[in-house]
Amino acid sequence: MELAKRVAALTPSSTLAISAKATELKNEGHDVIGLGVGEPDFNTPAYIIEAAKKAIDEGHTKYTASGGILPLKKAIAEKLKKDNNLTYTPEEIIVTTGAKYALFGLFQSIINEGDEVIVPTPYWVSYPEHVKLASGVPVMIEGHEKNEFKITKEQLEEAITNKTKAIIINSPSNPTGMMYSEKELLEIGEVCLKHNITIVSDEIYEALIYTEDKHVSIAELSPELKNITVVINGVSKSHAMTGWRIGYAAGPKQIIKAMTNHASHATSNPTSISQYAALAAYTVPNNTLEEMKSIFSDRLDRFYDLISNIKGIECIKPKGAFYLFPNVSETVKLNGFNNVDEWVEALLEEEKVALVPGTGFGAPNNVRLSYATSMENLEEAAKRIDRFVNNNLI
C-alpha cells in the first residue's frame, strides 16, 4: 500500500528518537540520565487530582461540547484577563486536546495549499510538520545566536511573499528559553499588520520565567494586533499536567469557530475529566507554581554554570522554559566528530547522557538539555559530559 504523501514528508521527532534510545539503554540495565524530556518532573498538584476524582464521582464522564465546557472557557477568559490584560468571550476560546492539537487544528483551519508560514529558527520540532500536514510551506528565518536566537523585523520583511499567511512566535521559546521584549514584538507586529499576516503566539511557557522580565503577549499590545493573533496556551507546563492533554486557543471568533468545527470531526472533545481538572487548575488558589518556579530557577543557575565551564561549549543563559541550548560546535570539533548528531549519539553510548541534537530544531550547532530533573541528576550529567569531552580530545 502506498502511504499518503503528507505523511511520507514528515520528519521524525528528534526528541522522541533520543528518548527511545535512552529507554532502550535503561531497559538493558544502564544508568541513563535523560535530559531530553520536555515536561516538568513534578507530579500534578494534589488539588487538581482531587478535582478529577470528584468529576468522575459526579458523573462528568460523558461527551462535552467540541470546544470545551463553558466553565473552563470562562476560567480561561478570566486567566487571560488577569495575566495578559486580554478580553475574550467564550466564543473566542476553544479548549483542545493539548496545546499541540490547538496548533494543529489552527493550521488545518487557516492554511490552504501553498500558503507560507514563517517559522523562526530554532523552532519547536512540530511547527514545520503541522504546516506541512495542512499542505502549507514552512519558511524558516534564522534567529541568530548573537540576537538571543530571535528574528528581527528586517528579517521578517525580507521573508514575506504574496503567499505568506502566518508567522509563529514562541516566547519563552522551546528550545532556547529566550523571550521577545515588548519593543521587539511591537516591531514584528507592525510588519504583520502591514501585510495582514496572522500571528500564532505560542505562550505555553509563559508561567516559567526566572528573571525580572515580564511575559508579554503580542496580542495585548494593541486592539489591531489582537485582531490578527491567535494565542496558544495550556496547563501542561504551568501546572505539571502534560498527560492530561488540555490546551486552548484564543482568537478571532471566525477562526475559533472553524477550529471547533474541525475538532468536532477529529477529536469530538477534549477528555471531560481532564477539563474539570484544568478548571480546578485555573480557579483554586494555590502556590504550587511559585514553588515549582523556585526549584527550576535554582536548577537553571547551577546547571548553567556547570555546562558553561565545559571545554568548547558556549551557552546563552535562558530566561524561561526549562532548557539550555548551548552551542557545542567547537566541542564537536575538539572531539573529532563530523557533526552534533554524531557527538550526541557517542555521548549517550559512552557516558549514558541523553541530549537532543539541535538539528531537529533547525539549529545544527546546538543541543537541547532539559533541566526538568533533579539537581543530583543535573550535576552528575554535567560531570559525565565534561569527562566525555576531555576523554575524547584529539
Side-chain angles (χ1 to χ4, degrees):
M1 177 184 290
E2 183 181 359
L3 295 176
K5 292 179 180 178
R6 73 179 70 87
V7 176
L10 293 178
T11 303
S13 170
S14 56
T15 53
L16 294 180
I18 200 72
S19 295
K21 179 62 176 177
T23 300
E24 180 184 332
L25 288 170
K26 283 183 180 179
N27 291 338
E28 293 173 357
H30 296 285
D31 177 23
V32 178
I33 299 177
L35 303 180
V37 68
E39 63 180 346
D41 58 315
F42 305 95
N43 194 25
T44 302
Y47 75 94
I48 297 174
I49 295 173
E50 289 304 315
K53 293 177 180 177
K54 183 180 178 183
I56 294 172
D57 291 339
E58 293 180 351
H60 296 301
T61 57
K62 310 295 184 184
Y63 292 130
T64 74
S66 296
I69 59 174
L70 184 58
L72 180 53
K73 286 187 172 188
K74 289 182 176 179
I76 291 168
E78 290 174 6
K79 175 259 177 254
L80 288 165
K81 181 63 177 176
K82 174 177 173 288
D83 294 345
N84 310 105
N85 196 29
L86 288 167
T87 300
Y88 291 99
T89 65
E91 293 76 24
E92 295 171 311
I93 295 170
I94 177 175
V95 183
T96 57
T97 307
K100 178 182 280 190
Y101 190 79
L103 287 160
F104 179 83
L106 171 60
F107 290 125
Q108 291 292 317
S109 300
I110 67 171
I111 299 298
N112 289 309
E113 185 172 1
D115 283 348
E116 295 176 352
V117 176
I118 292 174
V119 183
T121 68
Y123 49 75
W124 178 52
V125 294
S126 291
Y127 290 150
E129 311 311 314
H130 284 181
V131 174
K132 292 182 208 172
L133 285 169
S135 299
V137 179
V139 176
M140 313 304 183
I141 303 180
E142 182 181 0
H144 295 291
E145 199 157 352
K146 63 184 179 182
N147 193 41
E148 297 184 341
F149 300 106
K150 295 177 287 186
I151 67 167
T152 65
K153 64 178 182 179
E154 291 81 12
Q155 287 178 289
L156 175 57
E157 189 76 61
E158 289 177 6
I160 291 172
T161 72
N162 59 3
K163 294 183 178 180
T164 304
K165 187 69 171 286
I167 179 175
I168 302 171
I169 297 295
N170 179 207
S171 177
S173 161
N174 174 9
T176 69
M178 301 305 168
M179 297 168 55
Y180 282 88
S181 68
E182 180 174 332
K183 178 178 181 293
E184 290 166 335
L185 290 174
L186 279 169
E187 291 176 346
I188 288 172
E190 181 182 344
V191 177
C192 292
L193 285 169
K194 175 183 174 182
H195 296 278
N196 192 29
I197 295 170
T198 299
I199 301 168
V200 181
S201 184
D202 184 351
E203 303 178 15
I204 193 69
Y205 289 97
E206 70 156 333
L208 299 176
I209 298 172
Y210 315 110
T211 65
E212 295 302 314
D213 298 83
K214 177 184 178 295
H215 167 74
V216 179
S217 172
I218 195 168
E220 70 181 282
L221 297 180
S222 74
E224 293 78 15
L225 283 171
K226 179 174 179 283
N227 288 339
I228 63 168
T229 299
V230 179
V231 174
I232 306 292
N233 210 326
V235 294
S236 291
K237 316 299 182 180
S238 59
H239 294 82
M241 293 178 67
T242 51
W244 299 78
R245 309 312 301 134
I246 294 293
Y248 64 84
K253 190 180 298 184
Q254 179 185 13
I255 292 177
I256 300 301
K257 182 179 180 181
M259 292 176 65
T260 304
N261 288 340
H262 181 272
S264 71
H265 292 288
T267 61
S268 291
N269 60 267
T271 303
S272 59
I273 299 156
S274 293
Q275 289 188 67
Y276 283 94
L279 177 61
Y282 280 136
T283 57
V284 176
N286 70 94
N287 62 355
T288 55
L289 173 59
E290 291 307 313
E291 294 173 357
M292 187 166 66
K293 281 178 60 177
S294 177
I295 293 171
F296 275 140
S297 182
D298 289 343
R299 291 176 183 174
L300 167 60
D301 289 342
R302 176 63 174 150
F303 196 41
Y304 172 78
D305 287 342
L306 292 171
I307 293 299
S308 297
N309 284 320
I310 296 174
K311 188 183 298 291
I313 291 181
E314 296 182 5
C315 188
I316 303 173
K317 190 171 185 179
K319 296 179 177 179
F322 38 68
Y323 309 108
L324 297 183
F325 200 62
N327 187 314
V328 296
S329 57
E330 183 61 28
T331 301
V332 170
K333 291 178 184 177
L334 290 172
N335 287 159
F337 292 96
N338 294 315
N339 53 56
V340 169
D341 291 61
E342 287 184 5
W343 185 84
V344 167
E345 185 176 347
L347 173 65
L348 179 56
E349 289 288 346
E350 187 173 321
E351 288 289 353
K352 306 302 183 289
V353 177
L355 317 178
V356 185
T359 47
F361 305 100
N365 291 326
N366 297 71
V367 292
R368 193 188 76 173
L369 301 84
S370 169
Y371 50 90
T373 186
S374 69
M375 188 75 83
E376 181 183 5
N377 278 344
L378 295 174
E379 291 177 344
E380 177 62 23
K383 184 189 300 182
R384 293 185 189 183
I385 296 169
D386 185 56
R387 183 169 61 207
F388 175 80
V389 171
N390 285 298
N391 286 346
N392 288 278
L393 292 175
I394 57 172

